[in-house]
Amino acid sequence: MKFFSFIIILFTLITSCSTSKLPIQTASTADTKVLLAGKWKETNMNVKVYFEEELNKVVLSNGCQVVSANYNRFEPAILFSNITSTQKTCEVQGMDLDQILKETILIKNRTNKQIVFLNENQEELLILNKN
């Protein structure tokens, strides 16, 4: 009898889930997704960034340090993992590139061809222009 009750409950759940409607994605949600793929550049610190979206990989370089990482997007948030960095070959002013990835929780469009890395306090860590 327990097995029969289990089957009925399972069938009820399946049918109720199949008839429920998925939430409709609004235009504002769809428009806020940042397209990261390709080359980006920050001119003040001479930082170059390359996003490979198919592999969820990112590489940053400023001529003194190279940092690579994996990333996962949880719109609108982003999580960087497996961050690896080369030893710096010169004195760098400002924040280390690996530290920028560790602190970044969100990447937003600033303009049509500009993105910004933000920390949990919504402070701008890095501003990149589409190359």
Side-chain angles (χ1 to χ4, degrees), residues 44-108:
N44 293 337
M45 296 187 300
N46 196 30
V47 176
K48 294 176 182 151
V49 179
Y50 181 76
F51 282 96
E52 177 56 60
E53 284 198 321
E54 290 179 10
L55 301 174
N56 289 343
K57 294 266 189 190
V58 63
V59 177
L60 296 85
S61 176
N62 61 4
C64 297
Q65 181 183 28
V66 177
V67 176
S68 65
N70 296 336
Y71 67 90
N72 287 318
R73 296 174 75 172
F74 308 97
E75 293 302 331
I78 191 163
L79 174 67
F80 293 100
S81 61
N82 299 326
I83 300 170
T84 57
S85 175
T86 62
Q87 187 173 13
K88 290 185 280 183
T89 59
C90 57
E91 189 63 34
V92 179
Q93 293 182 353
M95 193 180 302
D96 289 338
L97 297 177
D98 57 337
Q99 192 63 33
I100 289 173
L101 291 185
K102 289 175 185 174
E103 291 188 24
T104 299
I105 64 161
L106 184 67
I107 297 179
K108 288 175 54 175

Side-chain angles (χ1 to χ4, degrees), residues 1 3-4 8 16 28 49-50 75-76 89 110 118-119 125:
M1 191 66 168
F3 180 73
F4 183 69
I8 291 174
S16 66
S28 62
V49 179
Y50 181 76
E75 293 302 331
T89 59
R110 193 168 192 202
L118 301 167
N119 65 13
L125 302 174

Side-chain angles (χ1 to χ4, degrees), residues 111-124:
T111 65
N112 195 17
K113 294 191 177 213
Q114 194 174 61
I115 59 175
V116 60
F117 288 52
L118 301 167
N119 65 13
E120 63 184 19
N121 296 325
Q122 299 296 308
E123 296 169 330
E124 296 178 348

